[in-house]
Amino acid sequence: MPDLSTTYLGLPLKNPLVPSSSPLSHDLDAILHLEDAGAAAIVMHSLFEEDVRHDEQMIDRFLVHPETFGEAAGHLPFGHDYQSRLDSYLEQIQRLKSRLAIPVVASLNGSSLSGWVELGKEMQAAGADALELNAWYMPSDPKVSGEAIEDHHISLLQELKTAVTIPVGMKLSPFFSSLPHFVHQAETSGAAGISLFNRFFQPDIDLETLSIVDRVQLSSSADTLLAMRWIAILRGSTSISLAATGGVHTAEDALKMLLAGADVVHLASALLKRGPQALSEMLVGITRWLEEREYVSVAQLKGSLSQQNSPNPSAFARAAYLHALDSFTPPDGVRY
Amino acid sequence: MNNMLTIDGNEAVANVAYRVSEVIAIYPITPSSGMGELSDEWAAQGKTNVWGCIPRVVELQSEGGAAGTVHGALQAGSLATTFTASQGLLLMIPNMYKIAGELTPTVFHVAARAVATHALSIFGDHSDVMATRGTGFALLASNSVQEAQDMAAIASAATLAGRLPVLHFFDGFRTSHEVAKIKAVGDEVLRKMLPQELVAAQRHRALSPEHPVLRGSSQNPDVFFQAHEAQNPWFDAFPGIVQQAMDQFGEATGRHYKLFDYVGAPDAERVIVMMGSGAETAQETVEHMNRQGEKVGLLMVRLYRPWAPEALLAALPATTRAISVLDRCKEPGADGEPLFKDVMVALAENAASDSPRFAVLPKVVAGRYGLASKEFNPAMVFAVFFGLTVAFPKRRFTVGINDDVTHLSLPYDPAFRTDAVRETFGAVFYGLGSDGTVSANKNSIKIIGDETELYAQGYFVYDSKKSGAMTVSHLRFGPQPIRSTYLTGEGDAKFVACHQPLFLETHDLLAHAAPGAVFLLNTPVPADQVWATLPAAMQRQMVAKRIRFYVIDAYQVALEADMGRRINTVMQTCFFAISGILPQDEAIAAIKHAVEKTYGRKGRRIAELNYRAIDKTLVCLHEVPVPAEFAATDIRVPERTAQQASEFVRKLTLPLIAGKGDSLPVSLFPVDGTFPTGTAKYEKRNLALQIPVLETDLCTQCGKCVFVCPHSAIRAKAYPAELGEAAPQSFKQMAIRSKDYPAGWKMSYQVAPEDCTGCTLCVEVCPIRDKSNASRKALNMAEQPPLRVQEAENWDFFLKLPDYDRTVAKRNTIPGSMLLQPMFEFSGACVGCGETPYIRLATQLFGDRMLVANATGCSSIYGGNLPTTPYTTDANGRGPAWSNSLFEDNAEFGLGMRLATDNLAEAARVQLRAMALEIGDAQVQALLNADQRTEAGIQEQRARVSQLQAKLSSIATPAADRLAAVAEYLIRRSVWIIGGDGWAYDIGFGGLDHVLSSGEDVNILVLDTEVYSNTGGQNSKATPRGAVAKFAAGGKPNRKKDLARIAMDYENVYVAQVAYGAKDVHTLKAFIEAESYPGVSIIIAYSPCIAHGVDLSNNHRQQDLAVKSGHWPLLRYDPRQRDLGKNPLSVDSAAPSIPFSDFARNEARFTVLERLRPDASVHFMTQAGKDARLRHQEYVELSEMLLPETAIDEKASEAADKKETPDA
């Protein structure tokens, strides 16, 4: 039996499979099942600062200061022992901590500096073992340079690091122009790890109403390749932990990520589609693959195909477009 | 200060009633709803009574039901109570007779309110309480918030000790809604006053199979009388028992009460006798007059039944020479009101006795005051005392109005003031119902009440509108308890605030300001420019009164503090900063402390934003020097429409709109409550910040904007091109796109800029986007102020264009039907109201022949609350005739209209036949056999009837006159029964069900907001599972009642379930089909409401999601289909395609539960999703079923086939 243990954000984990930020973490039972299925840690769903704000405004408008008429002092009952979104998130951290043996990573999506620092402190106080900063910023303002955006993220991280003592990881979007440089900066600013990449609602156009609508799309194995390449590249240049996220559905997907250099792989869509069973099957698959090839541990495997260790380092760096085209041969019978 | 509370009367009473009850049966009715709401919330929070149990709080279908439940709970041994007012109390009367007849202890707490007569009124007087005099309930009055709490305790103790049930009452609004600082009653006091042995006695009397008895028997002439008399000793003893309870309470709390409390000069010669909140004002005036050396006094009646004349006489000073008894009710036709007569009899009997109290019987006169919360102030009290000094006082009088018809009213000097005005700090605030002014003021009162030694009082006056409702807050603070139960007088306020610059145009804001007062104005105009923007009259007053003037741009401060458009904190900070009521530092610290308490952990950051807003406010608040000179020009906007108004409107309606109703004399009023329609158009409330603007290059003339407008503020007209030639330059005209109209005609869509509320729904629904820029629609919102004058001119021109011919309009299409004139316009309904588009649609399609029976509720308030009504007429003067009977009987009321209409039509037909010779057979036959199924058919019949009328007037025989009086009934009428879900599902369901079964040609429109909207969002049987509502604070656990299914069960009822925001054509079709169906039709219309906790700019989206999630399936059930051999049910929406939560998560009524009871919420959401799928499936199966008759025929023929087989 190979040793599956790994470390992530400085936390020792029994294996590299970590259910990530998804609606599953709302449900204590589902998480207990995931732990039973072998999950090594839990990254909770993201607490969106915007969501907390929206919630506060809703309470304010409809409950604290409702519209009043001669016959109506408001229209909804308002008890003061009401729980806010933030409170229920913090309570969920406490509940998970009291029931789970595995580490709990809280996830935070903040849009303002004060929001991150303040919420981060509350999450630490609630018992989170680590924090994942879900850094999402659409660089749509032509007056803001890429560097300024990177600086903004780094200063958020630094500010948070002064306020909390637990490890902080960053989950990044794929839109940084020089990712290794950014990761280097994050590392020097105290980040304990990087997750690649976050996955968000994608705006879509509704052709019927000509309006913009939000769509949530679950990932597929095809989505792993983007993260895999970047992990392979980063593995050589950084020592902080790397998490692969997005598109890991099978043991094979996970193994590729580990080979590229990931310390852990995050699972969301696979669990949403197939439940805790997906996780245990992947564990079995990884173990079998390691045994078949006589690997003694995950540690041995990790990063063995990173860019640094790859027999063909340029494969990760080049566009490889032509090669990909070349590999395409039309089926017999197709006029070409 | 620990045992001080700053609360309103309802909370003061509920706070005691809850703690001494085990079962509380509730039903919403203004102004008592607050007591039930608090009880339900406390129970949901697990708060216990003084014996450690959580009272069971249950909502019933009506007050009759609540009283019945209380009766049952009492009979089964518990301590039970209920809260009500007005018509609600009247519905309880039958049970009250029973409860009293069985000597059963209970207390009913009543926020006394006028009973509807010539009109409904939600305001306070004693007409409801007086209607219960015969029930056998003891009647105990409270005069103030403090007393309401204390008497609640005293009543609870006395009823247990003396077995008589008690009706404890206090004045609706004046006491129930006044916020005051009072001393609390602790649990230990209550436990002491309701000792275990008395509670045990109540248990012992209970019905129990362990020791069974019979109660509620039926008695014959031999015994009923004696048995009734057998109770006399209990009634005789009860005043003594109440006094004992008062004494016990006084010992425990230091607050002493008597059955009749006298205040004033011990040697008073003139005495007023009265009860209720007016007594507080009378006491203040008496004390003031005593200080001036006047020998006057006041006798406050606390226990009115059982009447204790000895106690009354003992309380009156022996020096009394003249008494004025004041009643807050009117008994039409009686020679005096009840309290007067009781006092009179007591005095007269005593005078005739062996040892009379008075050597000379005092002169006694009787007055009415304060009906429906009519103002009652010290000047009026003074006038009543003065009335007793004249040689021949008016024996019967009124005070507070100008009666120039029967000349009963006493004149009074409006300038009269008591010392209390100088001793208290009065402040008046003008705000909107939506801008948080009232809640901020309640908060300020709490701060001052809780954090200082000062006493505080707050009273809030609302206008009857829901959109743009004006609120005037009257606050008082002072070192002594405040007895001033009247509004701030002219020139008495040391602080006046205008939170909305809008009111500068419409109200005399400084009328209340005292000399040297502070005036605070929220305005976007910079401090150095603001003076010139003030109306000249205001400038004059500011100079004359030496006003200290401050301005703040509160919206800007709120915006910069990241608080959106929430200005309440900003304005509250200004009040504390400049009113001088507290030192500024202390005041600001107190506000911040209050913010922290309000938001606590659940809104840390919103608290931060509030702190930021508070600090920013102090920087942005500017004093404006008031110049000695004032600008000469008046900037008021000319009143355009007023010039065309009728004399009635000019003399009565316009002053009412201007807020001058109190000064109108009796002679101006209709004697039977009849008012003209078509008056909302005179209001021009000018609420919108932005209005829709049409892009003629994009508009496809689909009519959807007109269809969705809740205020009928955007309209369509089609007209010959030449009529548009005289249009103002900016008037928009388009060539008509459809071939349905004559060639060369024009189409215009026009907005009424001063009637639009800016809700954006028309823009939201507009389907047409610029092909190159999707953000530009055919209709876009734009700033209103620069467009106001121009569009008002365009609107005037638009109104002058003729309406499109009703007989040719394609009424079964949206664009065609939207050319029909709405006869329901500019109501005061909420911005974005989901109900009004349905009513407007009905008036467009059928308005010129509609009779409307309207249940009490939102639709009766925006439909018929003075000063105006949105119902209006067409160019021929025809339009909906509207009335509201009661909440509970609306279906029956409408049925009566139908029966009368049909009967008089039949009378007309009989008389027509009898006069066939005189009128001419052909014409008679044409009148009798007219086909009035189409609009054209109706128009033709109208022409025939007017020919007939002309002919009859020339015949001029008695028979002709008889026929002439009923000839109009030959024209088809459309009877509409309109109301909300509170009526249809709950209180009126018995009647509705009966009318559904009647087969009569009525159309029922249920505006289903899924809560009692008008009274503030209480749970009804239409409330869906998982929603919180008042009276369902823990979330509604049960599935929504399926009214459509119940109605379909009758088989001969046309049923439709519609949601116009999801499918407008379906709604239109349903309305046309329902009206054409010659039997009962019911349309159940989904109506998004502010009570759902969603901004109503999302009204259509929520309707759409309600349908897509299966929460609101669209249906039509047309019994005529059956005759065609088809299944009558058609399910017109698809199976649920999105999860229920996609619909629910946008509405606070659902999301609140997530935060309150997360597990229950998840369970309810799952269940609600299942409900939706299941219901849709059931409907589909019903709609696909073979008709029973077809099935039976098939089965019969199958059976016949089988029988034949053996023979073969």
Side-chain angles (χ1 to χ4, degrees):
Chain A
M1 177 84 181
D3 175 9
L4 296 183
S5 69
T6 180
T7 58
Y8 176 56
L9 302 176
L11 308 167
L13 303 186
K14 61 186 177 188
N15 68 51
L17 297 187
V18 176
S20 73
S21 197
S22 85
L24 281 175
S25 55
H26 289 285
D27 183 351
L28 181 62
D29 283 342
I31 292 179
L32 289 171
H33 285 138
L34 288 173
E35 187 182 31
D36 292 346
I42 291 287
V43 181
M44 290 178 65
H45 58 275
S46 277
L47 180 69
F48 283 77
E49 191 196 358
E50 283 167 314
D51 201 28
V52 171
R53 287 288 292 278
H54 177 81
D55 183 54
E56 288 168 345
Q57 281 166 2
M58 185 275 289
I59 296 174
D60 196 48
R61 167 154 184 206
F62 294 112
L63 303 178
V64 181
H65 295 292
E67 270 189 56
T68 54
F69 306 115
E71 301 198 57
H75 288 87
L76 287 164
F78 180 45
H80 283 268
D81 58 347
Y82 181 115
Q83 206 176 37
S84 70
R85 284 250 153 96
L86 174 59
D87 288 335
S88 43
Y89 191 87
L90 297 175
E91 200 175 88
Q92 182 71 342
I93 295 178
Q94 286 168 349
R95 201 179 296 136
L96 292 181
K97 279 304 293 174
S98 71
R99 297 291 299 276
L100 297 174
I102 54 177
V104 173
V105 180
S107 174
L108 177 58
N109 184 305
S111 54
S112 69
L113 192 63
S114 63
W116 280 31
V117 173
E118 189 196 326
L119 296 178
K121 279 198 281 193
E122 304 235 28
M123 289 177 170
Q124 172 170 326
D129 295 298
L131 277 184
E132 179 189 83
L133 283 187
N134 204 341
W136 174 257
Y137 177 82
M138 253 335 263
S140 54
D141 184 345
K143 291 192 286 296
V144 179
S145 70
E147 195 178 356
I149 292 168
E150 291 186 8
D151 288 350
H152 177 70
H153 281 94
I154 294 298
S155 62
L156 290 180
L157 173 68
Q158 287 167 338
E159 190 75 19
L160 186 64
K161 278 302 290 178
T162 62
V164 302
T165 52
I166 52 177
V168 177
M170 274 191 127
K171 191 167 187 174
L172 301 179
S173 79
F175 306 124
F176 286 90
S177 60
S178 173
L179 202 56
H181 176 253
F182 180 78
V183 172
H184 175 68
Q185 277 185 294
E187 185 174 2
T188 52
S189 302
I194 297 290
S195 307
L196 303 170
F197 291 104
N198 48 21
R199 182 173 189 86
F200 282 91
F201 286 106
Q202 304 272 23
D204 194 1
I205 289 174
D206 184 329
L207 287 174
E208 198 57 46
T209 60
L210 294 186
S211 56
I212 309 298
V213 291
D214 281 338
R215 294 243 189 272
V216 63
Q217 279 163 339
L218 297 180
S219 69
S220 68
S221 293
D223 297 322
T224 53
L225 301 178
L226 179 68
M228 195 178 79
R229 163 192 281 199
W230 279 109
I231 286 172
I233 291 170
L234 287 172
R235 184 70 285 166
S237 63
T238 184
S239 59
I240 59 175
S241 45
L242 295 174
T245 180
V248 178
H249 283 255
T250 62
E252 289 71 27
D253 296 338
L255 283 161
K256 290 179 196 171
M257 290 298 196
L258 294 171
L259 285 163
D263 294 294
V264 293
V265 291
H266 286 326
L267 308 174
S269 295
L271 302 177
L272 287 171
K273 277 184 189 157
R274 295 196 291 130
Q277 204 188 342
L279 196 146
S280 49
E281 283 172 12
M282 284 164 79
L283 266 185
V284 171
I286 290 169
T287 310
R288 190 182 302 140
W289 191 90
L290 291 173
E291 281 170 353
E292 280 170 4
R293 286 161 182 77
E294 298 179 345
Y295 280 87
V296 296
S297 68
V298 162
Q300 190 184 12
L301 163 94
K302 263 197 315 192
S304 58
L305 262 175
S306 69
Q307 186 185 27
Q308 198 178 30
N309 297 335
S310 165
N312 182 9
S314 65
F316 284 113
R318 73 169 174 238
Y321 186 62
L322 286 172
H323 178 74
L325 270 184
D326 283 349
S327 72
F328 178 77
T329 320
D332 294 340
V334 173
R335 199 185 301 270
Y336 192 62
Chain B
M1 300 294 284
N2 282 344
N3 62 344
M4 301 301 288
L5 299 170
T6 308
I7 53 177
D8 70 12
N10 276 336
E11 183 169 355
V13 171
N15 190 15
V16 169
Y18 184 85
R19 285 183 290 159
V20 298
S21 295
E22 290 152 343
V23 173
I24 303 177
I26 55 177
Y27 189 77
I29 184 164
T30 307
S32 71
S33 306
M35 293 182 278
E37 288 166 10
L38 286 166
S39 300
D40 178 61
E41 281 178 42
W42 291 332
Q45 289 162 16
K47 188 175 162 182
T48 63
N49 61 21
V50 294
W51 304 290
C53 293
I54 302 169
R56 183 70 203 273
V57 181
V58 58
E59 184 193 4
L60 273 299
Q61 90 291 5
S62 76
E63 290 89 348
T69 303
V70 168
H71 188 193
L74 294 168
Q75 286 298 324
S78 76
L79 303 179
T81 190
T82 186
F83 316 109
T84 194
S86 192
Q87 323 290 137
L89 182 59
L90 267 51
L91 289 176
M92 292 188 175
I93 287 178
N95 260 294
M96 292 172 70
Y97 275 93
K98 300 282 295 177
I99 291 168
E102 293 159 353
L103 293 180
T104 313
T106 182
V107 183
F108 286 13
H109 299 276
V110 173
R113 164 181 160 183
V115 173
T117 48
H118 60 289
L120 170 145
S121 168
I122 58 170
F123 292 102
D125 67 35
H126 301 161
S127 53
D128 53 356
V129 174
M130 288 301 183
T132 69
R133 278 178 297 146
T135 59
F137 264 57
L139 305 179
L140 186 67
S142 299
N143 304 346
S144 66
V145 177
Q146 177 75 62
E147 288 182 21
Q149 175 202 236
D150 295 354
M151 290 298 159
I154 290 165
S156 305
T159 191
L160 267 190
R163 291 190 63 182
L164 289 201
V166 181
L167 186 157
H168 165 230
F169 69 98
F170 46 97
D171 288 352
F173 280 104
R174 188 62 248 185
T175 305
S176 67
H177 282 54
E178 177 183 307
V179 179
K181 180 172 174 176
I182 65 165
K183 296 189 179 79
V185 175
D187 283 2
E188 66 296 341
V189 175
L190 296 177
R191 269 192 291 263
K192 203 165 146 197
M193 292 190 69
L194 282 75
Q196 192 44 48
E197 58 272 23
L198 292 181
V199 178
Q202 163 71 353
R203 313 277 195 243
H204 183 70
R205 289 187 294 263
L207 293 174
S208 164
E210 300 294 329
H211 40 85
V213 292
L214 166 72
R215 202 174 284 146
S217 61
S218 161
Q219 298 180 347
N220 299 324
D222 53 345
V223 301
F224 185 95
F225 194 172
Q226 302 95 299
H228 214 0
E229 295 296 325
Q231 304 167 337
N232 293 349
W234 272 264
F235 285 85
D236 295 343
F238 201 70
I241 288 169
V242 173
Q243 188 59 59
Q244 273 174 20
M246 287 173 163
D247 294 346
Q248 197 189 3
F249 183 84
E251 251 170 60
T253 63
R255 294 192 295 284
H256 298 276
Y257 297 104
K258 293 228 164 48
L259 301 181
F260 296 89
D261 263 318
Y262 175 80
V263 291
D267 55 350
E269 294 175 352
R270 289 172 286 153
V271 175
I272 288 177
V273 180
M274 66 188 300
M275 55 188 173
S277 63
E280 292 278 294
T281 294
Q283 181 174 346
E284 181 185 300
T285 314
V286 163
E287 285 167 354
H288 173 86
M289 291 173 73
N290 287 161
R291 281 198 286 273
Q292 318 261 316
E294 300 225 40
K295 292 182 176 174
V296 294
L298 165 72
L299 189 78
M300 291 175 273
V301 179
R302 300 207 189 277
L303 185 68
Y304 179 52
R305 285 287 183 276
W307 182 240
E310 303 78 20
L312 166 89
L313 289 162
L316 278 172
T319 48
T320 307
R321 293 171 60 179
I323 298 174
S324 202
V325 185
L326 298 183
D327 271 274
R328 197 163 201 159
C329 67
K330 177 178 167 81
E331 271 195 25
D335 58 348
E337 272 61 40
L339 181 59
F340 158 68
K341 286 176 146 185
D342 289 326
V343 171
M344 194 70 224
V345 170
L347 286 164
E349 280 198 339
N350 178 263
S353 71
D354 294 340
S355 51
R357 171 116 170 94
F358 301 101
V360 180
L361 181 66
K363 206 159 33 178
V364 188
V365 298
R368 286 188 291 272
Y369 74 103
L371 263 64
S373 291
K374 172 65 78 186
E375 183 69 344
F376 182 65
N377 62 26
M380 297 166 196
V381 178
F382 186 82
V384 172
F385 278 123
F386 182 77
L388 291 175
T389 61
V390 299
F392 300 101
K394 277 190 173 160
R395 294 198 313 109
R396 302 290 180 270
F397 65 86
T398 56
V399 65
I401 57 171
N402 174 10
D403 174 3
D404 57 344
V405 175
T406 45
H407 306 287
L408 287 173
S409 57
L410 297 181
Y412 62 91
D413 172 12
F416 179 87
R417 295 287 182 277
T418 65
D419 295 336
V421 171
R422 279 199 308 281
E423 289 158 7
T424 55
F425 182 98
V428 175
F429 303 77
Y430 292 86
L432 286 173
S434 54
D435 69 7
T437 297
V438 169
S439 62
N441 283 329
K442 284 185 177 170
N443 195 249
S444 298
I445 297 166
K446 241 181 157 40
I447 289 174
I448 293 169
D450 292 352
E451 315 250 336
T452 74
E453 297 288 326
L454 294 176
Y455 282 86
Q457 180 202 55
Y459 189 71
F460 308 94
V461 178
Y462 296 82
D463 72 18
S464 56
K465 298 294 189 285
K466 292 173 190 289
S467 52
M470 186 173 84
T471 61
V472 187
S473 309
H474 297 256
L475 272 56
R476 285 189 178 96
F477 306 100
Q480 299 299 321
I482 296 162
R483 298 193 183 283
S484 311
T485 52
Y486 51 91
L487 302 178
T488 313
E490 288 207 356
D492 291 346
K494 298 189 175 75
F495 182 89
V496 175
C498 174
H499 290 192
Q500 299 290 343
L502 172 75
F503 301 137
L504 286 175
E505 236 182 59
T506 52
H507 286 76
D508 179 5
L509 299 169
L510 290 176
H512 289 110
V518 172
F519 175 52
L520 167 67
L521 176 66
N522 167 28
T523 173
V525 184
D528 55 352
Q529 293 162 32
V530 70
W531 178 255
T533 66
L534 302 179
M538 176 173 257
Q539 292 180 348
R540 278 192 287 275
Q541 276 197 76
M542 286 174 82
V543 174
K545 287 183 173 174
R546 303 180 316 284
I547 298 291
R548 285 171 52 212
F549 181 31
Y550 288 85
V551 291
I552 179 120
D553 187 350
Y555 284 108
Q556 188 59 30
V557 175
L559 197 69
E560 286 172 13
D562 219 2
M563 292 185 50
R565 302 176 58 77
R566 281 267 159 222
I567 60 163
N568 48 323
T569 301
V570 177
M571 297 310 288
Q572 192 187 1
T573 305
C574 291
F575 167 67
F576 276 107
I578 54 178
S579 64
I581 197 149
L582 286 179
Q584 186 166 333
D585 292 352
E586 227 176 273
I588 299 307
I591 306 179
K592 288 189 174 170
H593 181 58
V595 164
E596 194 190 324
K597 272 209 294 201
T598 305
Y599 296 100
R601 275 185 57 76
K602 56 185 154 284
R604 267 149 286 190
R605 253 110 34 83
I606 215 154
E608 285 290 338
L609 299 183
N610 274 281
Y611 299 151
R612 207 194 298 170
I614 291 166
D615 295 335
K616 234 177 168 32
T617 302
L618 296 173
V619 179
C620 299
L621 176 62
H622 299 293
E623 180 160 12
V624 180
V626 174
E629 301 285 314
F630 45 82
T633 50
D634 208 313
I635 56 150
R636 286 203 161 208
V637 175
E639 290 161 15
R640 290 176 298 111
T641 39
Q643 292 143 10
Q644 309 135 23
S646 70
E647 193 186 346
F648 183 100
V649 168
R650 271 187 286 114
K651 283 195 167 162
L652 193 88
T653 310
L654 295 181
L656 290 183
I657 292 171
K660 300 191 187 329
D662 274 327
S663 62
L664 298 181
V666 170
S667 61
L668 283 181
F669 287 86
V671 295
D672 57 358
T674 307
F675 287 82
T677 61
T679 44
K681 63 175 176 243
Y682 298 113
E683 299 214 50
K684 299 286 171 244
R685 298 195 300 140
N686 197 34
L687 294 174
L689 297 172
Q690 295 188 327
I691 55 172
V693 173
L694 185 76
E695 301 294 343
T696 47
D697 62 322
L698 294 179
C699 179
T700 59
Q701 306 168 6
C702 69
K704 282 178 186 285
C705 50
V706 181
F707 195 94
V708 301
C709 180
H711 289 82
S712 312
I714 184 164
R715 308 263 180 97
K717 272 187 185 173
Y719 51 91
E722 60 271 22
L723 292 181
E725 284 161 13
Q729 201 135 47
S730 58
F731 185 74
K732 288 177 180 164
Q733 311 186 44
M734 300 174 279
I736 275 191
R737 291 186 174 227
S738 164
K739 294 199 176 66
D740 292 340
Y741 306 95
W745 276 41
K746 297 279 188 190
M747 174 79 90
S748 284
Y749 285 87
Q750 176 63 42
V751 178
E754 293 157 312
D755 302 295
C756 170
T757 65
C759 75
T760 70
L761 287 175
C762 54
V763 169
E764 194 273 332
V765 81
C766 177
I768 309 304
R769 293 177 185 275
D770 185 333
K771 290 208 164 40
S772 320
N773 173 7
S775 69
R776 178 173 172 260
K777 287 183 152 192
L779 210 53
N780 304 284
M781 296 302 283
E783 296 299 311
Q784 187 256 20
L787 293 169
R788 179 179 175 186
V789 172
Q790 162 196 320
E791 290 308 312
E793 266 175 39
N794 288 337
W795 174 251
D796 286 346
F797 175 78
F798 177 85
L799 288 180
K800 285 186 204 123
L801 291 171
D803 282 303
Y804 194 64
D805 185 349
R806 293 180 66 82
T807 61
V808 297
K810 292 228 164 194
R811 54 179 46 223
N812 56 349
T813 67
I814 299 286
S817 59
M818 289 306 109
L819 281 173
L820 303 172
Q821 185 202 338
M823 282 172 246
F824 178 88
E825 58 182 14
F826 320 139
S827 76
C830 289
V831 174
C833 176
E835 296 187 353
T836 47
Y838 295 111
I839 300 180
R840 192 217 55 247
L841 175 62
T843 68
Q844 284 173 296
L845 295 169
F846 323 112
D848 59 353
R849 52 197 160 89
M850 257 175 120
L851 273 180
V852 183
N854 207 127
T856 312
C858 276
S859 56
S860 74
I861 297 302
Y862 60 64
N865 198 327
L866 291 192
T868 63
T869 176
Y871 287 95
T872 190
T873 55
D874 65 11
N876 303 309
R878 295 191 189 98
W882 184 95
S883 186
N884 157 244
S885 170
L886 298 171
F887 193 14
E888 60 270 27
D889 73 343
N890 191 47
E892 302 92 308
F893 186 48
L895 178 67
M897 291 182 180
R898 178 80 262 167
L899 298 180
T901 304
D902 289 351
N903 191 265
L904 293 171
E906 182 55 25
R909 284 192 289 271
V910 169
Q911 290 166 34
L912 196 56
R913 283 191 205 99
M915 291 187 71
L917 278 178
E918 289 129 292
I919 296 164
D921 205 38
Q923 197 179 349
V924 166
Q925 288 311 318
L927 278 160
L928 289 176
N929 302 322
D931 178 358
Q932 297 189 65
R933 282 176 303 181
T934 63
E935 199 66 21
I938 292 167
Q939 295 298 0
E940 285 161 16
Q941 180 78 341
R942 280 217 171 98
R944 284 184 211 108
V945 169
S946 66
Q947 281 167 11
L948 172 68
Q949 297 276 28
K951 196 169 264 179
L952 289 171
S953 71
S954 69
I955 297 171
T957 60
D961 291 348
R962 267 204 310 281
L963 176 53
V966 292
E968 66 173 52
Y969 289 88
L970 293 167
I971 303 161
R972 179 175 155 210
R973 280 192 185 170
S974 191
V975 174
W976 284 77
I977 297 171
I978 300 176
D981 48 284
W983 158 68
Y985 287 66
D986 287 359
I987 196 170
F989 179 70
L992 180 87
D993 180 58
H994 198 85
V995 171
L996 285 175
S997 77
S998 71
E1000 299 294 338
D1001 186 9
V1002 293
N1003 307 290
I1004 302 167
L1005 174 59
V1006 180
L1007 303 161
D1008 192 347
T1009 60
E1010 309 193 316
V1011 277
Y1012 289 76
S1013 298
N1014 191 47
T1015 47
Q1018 291 85 2
N1019 168 60
S1020 80
K1021 284 198 286 297
T1023 304
R1025 198 197 299 270
V1028 298
K1030 289 183 183 167
F1031 294 5
K1036 171 76 170 260
N1038 305 320
R1039 183 171 132 163
K1040 179 187 170 89
K1041 172 170 164 177
D1042 192 343
L1043 190 60
R1045 187 87 172 261
I1046 294 169
M1048 281 180 223
D1049 202 42
Y1050 281 110
E1051 294 199 330
N1052 62 345
V1053 174
Y1054 176 89
V1055 185
Q1057 192 156 279
V1058 301
Y1060 77 89
K1063 214 171 179 182
D1064 48 14
V1065 183
H1066 179 256
T1067 301
L1068 175 65
K1069 199 167 180 182
F1071 271 71
I1072 292 171
E1073 286 178 359
E1075 206 268 346
S1076 71
Y1077 180 67
V1080 183
S1081 305
I1082 182 168
I1083 301 171
I1084 305 163
Y1086 189 65
S1087 308
C1089 173
I1090 189 73
H1092 295 179
V1094 60
D1095 192 286
L1096 288 178
S1097 57
N1098 301 309
N1099 175 338
H1100 303 149
R1101 182 196 70 195
Q1102 286 309 100
Q1103 290 193 46
D1104 191 43
L1105 294 176
V1107 171
K1108 285 198 173 119
S1109 67
H1111 172 60
W1112 194 267
L1114 303 179
L1115 310 167
R1116 283 169 307 129
Y1117 179 97
D1118 189 341
R1120 286 168 292 200
Q1121 295 294 317
R1122 189 181 285 276
D1123 301 335
L1124 304 173
K1126 294 182 190 156
N1127 189 308
L1129 176 61
S1130 134
V1131 183
D1132 302 320
S1133 57
S1137 59
I1138 58 168
F1140 183 78
S1141 55
D1142 279 8
F1143 155 67
R1145 69 169 176 219
N1146 302 317
E1147 301 189 350
R1149 59 173 171 158
F1150 294 108
T1151 59
V1152 160
L1153 197 62
E1154 273 172 39
R1155 265 50 75 63
L1156 217 53
R1157 299 174 59 205
D1159 296 343
S1161 164
V1162 170
H1163 170 73
F1164 287 149
M1165 285 303 109
T1166 316
Q1167 195 58 43
K1170 278 187 197 157
D1171 291 345
R1173 290 194 299 276
L1174 191 66
R1175 199 173 36 225
H1176 193 272
Q1177 184 54 33
E1178 286 168 359
Y1179 281 134
V1180 167
E1181 281 173 19
L1182 279 176
S1183 71
E1184 287 169 352
M1185 248 171 69
L1186 274 181
L1187 284 181
E1189 43 270 49
T1190 320
I1192 290 167
D1193 289 348
E1194 273 186 16
K1195 281 214 172 106
S1197 69
E1198 267 174 37
D1201 288 349
K1202 272 182 195 154
K1203 254 187 196 166
E1204 281 161 22
T1205 324
D1207 295 342

